[in-house]
């Protein structure tokens, strides 16, 4: 962390206590007593995290929070709010305004430090990354002997390790949860929680159970090693051994394959407890007891206030009085368990009633446990730890199930995608083969039909010439119909052959002057009907890289259609040109002829689609299909716009090719 921890509180003892705690933990503390001093600090100092009181002598902490969030330079700073235990409304208001977390006063210093570290880890991805090869492994020493801690610290640091230390089992567990060390060296004999208990609690914690643990002892008891290993320790060393032996043991446990770091909240990390009771005296006594254990305790004096609190801030466990005025404990429990966001939170029902019916009612309402009220809190603390442990195991198992399900879904999706791809490839290959067969068949049939059609047309013409003056008008009309049908059939065969060649012929790309080619096709049309007054405009300078034979077929069809559809127009005009659209060059043939209905535009490029009757504009219905086939083979697109009686514009693109 490069920036300072900004501590804003008007009470000197709070400022100094938190400043000393953060400084001892390796942070740079920046204490401020007023809003004005805070603004000055934010303007001149780099701040990585802020601890902000609600009540300040020259302003409101919530207003200051809003000001920090509005400023671009400070909007992303993690902010931990402080408030007296009675100000639940201020807690909710602060969280809704933008605080990242909220801790009640009186606070546990260890809890504040732990939550601050978690906020910084969440804020800075680098803080959550596992140590890389360039980063030293971190060793946590837990020992009540200052002399031994310092000797071992120096030896480990000289060996290249980063070192943290704790003077008690309780402090060591909190530090392990907050800092996630690479290995732990713990003394077996300590006041309070001994080393074996420390190891057992670590092994019960999903987030820490894979941490290698080395248990030390000064005892000569031969059973000490067995007890240490039974507790879950990875190694055992007697204190009278040379420090070099301890270093070798540490190196050995670090070399072993270890469990992957679990991305989960530690059971030993900071936990927030919501206590709900209408008795202020009992709440104060309960809060004081739990804060000694390192919990942050949020106090609510009614079921309504508890529900409001849960909507603003998550908690790790709920202690709920059964008998309360207004919303009863049972009704509050039912509402909590009915909420998707809160139903998984462990809930312990507490009541002064010790009869069997009260217990059944409490558990029936959805409570996870039931405890009678007594002045002795040892049982309550044990039940609380059990519920927190159960919740962590459930979360761990749920995460494993979700990961397995996700893996199965990913595998199923991969199999389905592979099957779809294989099926698509097979269908594409089959379709391509069928198309090739169809094109070959069409070409063969069309080619073979030409000879008998020529015979029909030729003999029809000979019959008409030889029977001059010998046929009545009805017979002559029948003969003319035969010759016209033969001519139309021949045109259709020519169009089918052209369509087949467009799909079968090899595409040979070369630089091509599209303007000159369009002018040649237009000149050929004009020679066929020299008396038609058509205004033909060709944009000069259009060049493409394409197959000249296939592009000629495109222009012959498009210009031929334009010539045909302007045959009934008073002042016919045909234009060939280009425009730029989104960085692409779009070529077009535009006319002011008969046009078409745009509702039929989607099917006009498929074979045998006629948008006009033969009486108005005769044709085969294959020309535009041929154009589309050629454009497709050049990697381009084709489209059409028009309106009945107002002309049409056929546009196409060609993919760049070098």
């Amino acid at each position: 962390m490069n920036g300072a921890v900004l501590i804003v509180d008007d009470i000197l003892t709070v400022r100094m206590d938190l400043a000393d705690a953060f400084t001892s933990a390796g942070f740079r503390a920046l204490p401020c007593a007023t809003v004005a001093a805070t603004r000055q600090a934010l303007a001149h100092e780099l701040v990585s995290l802020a601890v902000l009181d609600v009540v300040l002598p020259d302003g409101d902490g919530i207003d200051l929070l809003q000001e920090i969030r509005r400023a671009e330079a400070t909007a992303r700073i993690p902010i931990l709010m402080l408030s007296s235990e009675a100000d639940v409304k201020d807690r909710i208001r602060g969280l809704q305004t933008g605080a990242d977390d909220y801790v009640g006063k009186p606070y546990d210093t260890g809890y504040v430090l732990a939550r601050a570290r978690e906020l910084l880890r969440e804020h800075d991805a680098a803080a959550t990354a596992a140590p890389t090869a360039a980063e030293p492994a971190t060793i946590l020493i837990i020992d009540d002997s200052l002399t031994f801690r310092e000797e071992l610290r120096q030896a480990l640091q000289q060996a290249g390790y980063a070192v943290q230390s704790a003077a008690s089992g309780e402090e060591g567990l909190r530090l392990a949860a907050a800092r996630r060390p690479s290995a732990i060296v713990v003394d077996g004999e300590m006041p309070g929680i001994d080393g074996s208990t420390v190891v057992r609690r670590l092994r019960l914690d999903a987030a820490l159970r894979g941490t290698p643990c080395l248990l030390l002892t000064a005892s000569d008891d031969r059973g000490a090693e067995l007890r240490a290993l039974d507790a879950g320790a990875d190694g055992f060393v007697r204190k009278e051994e040379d420090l070099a032996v301890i270093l070798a043991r540490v190196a050995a446990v670090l070399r072993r394959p270890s469990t992957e770091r679990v991305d989960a909240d530690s059971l030993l990390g900071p936990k927030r407890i919501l206590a709900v009771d209408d008795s202020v005296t009992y709440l104060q006594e309960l809060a004081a007891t739990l804060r000694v254990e390192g919990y942050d305790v949020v106090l609510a004096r009614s079921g309504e206030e508890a529900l409001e609190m849960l909507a603003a801030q998550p908690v790790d466990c709920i202690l709920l009085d059964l008998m309360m005025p207004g919303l009863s404990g049972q009704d509050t429990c039912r509402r909590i368990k009915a909420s998707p966001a809160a139903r998984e939170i462990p809930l312990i029902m507490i009541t002064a009633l010790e009869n069997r019916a009260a217990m059944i009612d409490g558990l029936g309402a959805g409570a996870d446990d039931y405890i009678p009220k007594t002045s002795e809190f040892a049982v309550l603390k044990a039940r609380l730890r059990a519920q927190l442990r159960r919740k962590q195991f459930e979360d761990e198992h749920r995460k494993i199930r979700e990961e397995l399900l996700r893996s199965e879904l990913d595998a199923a999706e991969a199999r389905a995608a592979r099957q779809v791809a294989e099926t698509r490839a097979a269908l594409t290959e089959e379709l391509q083969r069928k198309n090739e067969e169809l094109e070959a068949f069409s070409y063969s049939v069309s080619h073979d039909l030409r000879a008998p059609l020529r015979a029909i047309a030729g003999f029809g013409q000979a019959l008409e010439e030889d029977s001059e003056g010998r046929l009545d008008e009805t017979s002559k009309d029948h003969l003319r119909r035969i010759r016209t049908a033969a001519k139309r059939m021949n045109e259709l065969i020519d169009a089918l052959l052209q369509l087949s060649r467009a799909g079968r012929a090899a595409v040979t790309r070369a630089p091509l002057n599209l303007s000159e080619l369009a002018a040649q096709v237009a000149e050929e049309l004009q020679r066929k009907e020299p008396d038609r007054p058509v205004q033909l405009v060709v944009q000069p300078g259009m060049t493409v890289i394409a197959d000249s034979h296939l592009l000629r077929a495109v222009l012959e069809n498009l210009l031929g259609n334009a010539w045909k559809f302007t045959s009934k127009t008073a002042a016919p005009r045909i234009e060939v040109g280009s425009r730029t659209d989104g960085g692409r060059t779009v070529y077009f043939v535009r006319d002011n002829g008969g046009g078409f209905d745009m509702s039929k535009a989607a099917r006009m490029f498929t074979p045998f689609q006629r948008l006009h009757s033969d009486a108005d504009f005769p044709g085969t219905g294959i020309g535009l299909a041929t154009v589309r086939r050629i454009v497709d083979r050049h990697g381009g697109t084709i489209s059409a716009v028009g309106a009945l009686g107002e002309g049409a514009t056929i546009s196409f693109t060609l993919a760049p090719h070098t």
Side-chain angles (χ1 to χ4, degrees):
M1 186 188 78
N2 297 323
V5 175
L6 179 64
I7 302 168
V8 185
D9 200 294
D10 62 326
I11 301 175
L12 178 61
T13 54
V14 173
R15 289 201 308 278
M16 293 301 99
D17 176 57
L18 290 177
D20 290 343
F22 276 103
T23 301
S24 299
F27 296 96
R28 183 166 65 90
L30 189 63
C32 295
T34 63
V35 172
T38 303
R39 289 172 179 155
Q40 186 75 8
L42 289 171
H44 296 89
E45 295 280 352
L46 177 62
V47 174
S48 295
L49 181 137
V51 180
L52 180 60
D53 190 15
V54 171
V55 180
L56 296 170
D58 59 340
D60 180 76
I62 304 298
D63 293 338
L64 180 58
L65 169 63
Q66 290 179 317
E67 183 179 323
I68 294 173
R69 286 288 181 246
R70 282 196 299 265
E72 183 177 354
T74 59
R76 298 183 181 275
I77 295 175
I79 296 179
L80 181 64
M81 298 294 293
L82 290 175
S83 171
S84 67
E85 62 184 16
D87 295 326
V88 175
K89 297 294 184 184
D90 284 334
R91 177 187 288 259
I92 294 174
R93 188 161 64 101
L95 291 168
Q96 292 174 342
T97 302
D100 295 280
D101 205 348
Y102 213 108
V103 177
K105 292 180 181 178
Y107 56 83
D108 178 80
T109 304
Y111 181 90
V112 174
L113 278 172
R115 288 301 298 135
R117 287 191 178 105
E118 286 191 358
L119 290 176
L120 287 170
R121 276 201 301 269
E122 294 168 2
H123 181 262
D124 186 358
T128 62
T132 64
E135 297 175 339
T138 301
I139 311 300
L140 171 60
I141 305 171
I142 307 175
D143 199 299
D144 60 325
S145 170
L146 176 61
T147 303
F148 184 80
R149 285 202 314 273
E150 290 305 312
E151 289 179 359
L152 185 55
R153 174 197 288 273
Q154 292 178 12
L156 288 168
Q157 287 177 337
Q158 289 175 2
Y161 298 107
V163 183
Q164 300 162 351
S165 63
S168 68
E170 292 85 351
E171 182 187 358
L173 288 173
R174 286 196 293 268
L175 198 56
R179 305 303 292 269
R180 309 288 177 93
S182 306
I184 298 174
V185 179
V186 56
D187 187 15
E189 302 294 331
M190 292 183 294
I193 299 178
D194 63 11
S196 296
T197 303
V198 169
V199 175
R200 287 192 187 94
R201 292 199 179 179
L202 289 170
R203 294 301 179 243
L204 288 172
D205 192 329
L208 297 171
R209 67 167 57 118
T211 306
C213 293
L214 193 63
L215 195 66
L216 303 176
T217 183
S219 173
D220 293 330
D221 184 0
R222 292 186 177 181
E225 182 172 1
L226 293 177
R227 289 193 295 273
L229 297 175
D230 285 343
D234 297 276
F236 177 84
V237 181
R238 297 188 182 277
K239 277 192 171 181
E240 63 266 19
E241 298 276 6
D242 190 275
L243 287 178
V245 175
I246 299 177
L247 293 179
R249 287 281 193 176
V250 170
V253 296
L254 287 174
R255 280 197 302 270
R256 297 174 188 170
S258 60
T259 306
E260 287 188 14
R261 181 182 293 266
V262 178
D263 186 17
D265 291 336
S266 170
L267 188 63
L268 304 170
K271 302 298 179 188
R272 180 177 296 110
I273 310 301
L274 173 61
V276 190
D277 201 298
D278 59 321
S279 170
V280 177
T281 303
Y282 182 79
L283 277 181
Q284 297 289 355
E285 187 179 359
L286 178 62
T289 302
L290 294 178
R291 287 194 180 106
V292 173
E293 299 291 320
Y295 297 110
D296 177 36
V297 186
V298 183
L299 305 182
R301 294 169 179 80
S302 67
E304 293 85 353
E305 195 173 64
L307 294 173
E308 188 178 1
M309 182 63 225
L310 287 172
Q313 185 178 36
V315 300
D316 297 291
C317 190
I318 302 169
L319 304 177
L320 178 62
D321 186 19
L322 178 63
M323 306 296 293
M324 293 187 296
L327 193 64
S328 69
Q330 290 179 345
D331 291 338
T332 304
C333 179
R334 290 190 183 95
R335 292 195 185 184
I336 291 172
K337 292 302 182 181
S339 168
R343 64 165 59 117
E344 301 297 333
I345 300 174
L347 189 149
I348 301 175
M349 193 78 78
I350 304 175
T351 182
L353 300 176
E354 298 187 16
N355 58 70
R356 178 173 174 274
M359 179 185 69
I360 294 174
D361 289 343
L363 295 175
D368 298 282
D369 203 350
Y370 179 94
I371 303 176
K373 279 187 179 179
T374 64
S375 58
E376 177 56 56
F377 289 109
V379 174
L380 187 147
K381 290 187 290 185
R383 297 277 189 90
L384 175 58
R385 285 194 296 270
Q387 289 297 327
L388 292 173
R389 188 163 54 247
R390 176 187 63 79
K391 177 62 165 55
Q392 189 196 44
F393 289 162
E394 289 175 354
D395 290 344
E396 182 183 12
H397 293 157
R398 185 182 299 109
K399 182 177 180 181
I400 292 172
R401 289 195 300 270
E402 290 174 352
E403 289 176 351
L404 288 174
L405 179 59
R406 190 177 300 110
S407 297
E408 291 175 0
L409 289 174
D410 290 344
E413 289 178 359
R415 287 195 300 272
R418 186 169 58 252
Q419 291 172 356
V420 169
E422 292 172 354
T423 303
R424 183 183 293 115
L427 289 174
T428 301
E429 183 178 352
E430 179 67 14
L431 180 61
Q432 183 177 357
R433 187 178 65 81
K434 293 292 186 182
N435 284 339
E436 290 174 353
E437 291 177 356
L438 181 61
E439 288 179 355
F441 178 77
S442 299
Y443 183 84
S444 176
V445 170
S446 300
H447 188 273
D448 291 344
L449 284 175
R450 271 190 159 182
L453 274 175
R454 284 173 178 166
I456 293 172
F459 284 114
Q461 181 179 0
L463 181 60
E464 185 178 25
E465 292 173 353
D466 292 345
S467 60
E468 184 65 33
R470 290 182 290 169
L471 294 177
D472 57 27
E473 289 302 319
T474 300
S475 299
K476 290 180 180 178
D477 182 61
H478 289 166
L479 188 57
R480 282 195 297 269
R481 287 175 181 269
I482 291 173
R483 294 192 62 197
T484 300
K487 181 181 178 183
R488 288 289 308 281
M489 191 62 182
N490 194 60
E491 291 174 352
L492 181 59
I493 289 173
D494 286 343
L496 285 171
L497 288 172
Q498 187 181 53
L499 177 62
S500 179
R501 283 192 294 270
R504 290 162 54 87
V507 178
T508 304
R509 295 175 183 257
L512 175 65
N513 190 319
L514 191 64
S515 299
E516 290 184 359
L517 186 59
Q520 292 172 10
V521 174
E523 185 180 350
E524 292 171 2
L525 290 169
Q526 190 72 65
R527 276 202 301 268
K528 291 179 181 179
E529 296 185 72
D531 297 332
R532 277 194 61 186
V534 179
Q535 182 183 7
L536 267 164
V537 179
V538 178
Q539 177 183 322
M542 292 186 295
T543 59
V544 296
I545 298 177
D547 188 296
S548 59
H549 297 292
L550 294 178
L551 259 291
R552 169 176 279 277
V554 168
L555 292 174
E556 286 175 347
N557 279 286
L558 295 183
L559 285 171
N561 278 351
W563 187 271
K564 176 174 64 177
F565 289 123
T566 56
S567 61
K568 299 181 180 182
T569 304
R573 174 183 170 85
I574 300 173
E575 180 184 0
V576 183
S578 67
R579 66 179 186 277
T580 302
D581 183 6
R584 300 182 309 167
T585 301
V586 180
Y587 305 97
F588 62 85
V589 175
R590 179 182 296 129
D591 66 71
N592 62 346
F596 62 92
D597 185 348
M598 279 297 293
S599 64
K600 302 177 181 179
R603 60 185 177 88
M604 66 186 299
F605 294 102
T606 57
F608 306 110
Q609 296 299 317
R610 302 295 316 285
L611 304 186
H612 299 275
S613 67
D614 274 352
D616 293 329
F617 302 103
T620 63
I622 296 177
L624 289 181
T626 302
V627 171
R628 188 190 67 173
R629 181 73 60 85
I630 295 171
V631 170
D632 286 345
R633 297 197 66 193
H634 281 78
T637 59
I638 189 166
S639 61
V641 295
L644 281 174
E646 298 180 12
T649 301
I650 309 296
S651 303
F652 64 92
T653 64
L654 301 174
H657 189 86
T658 57

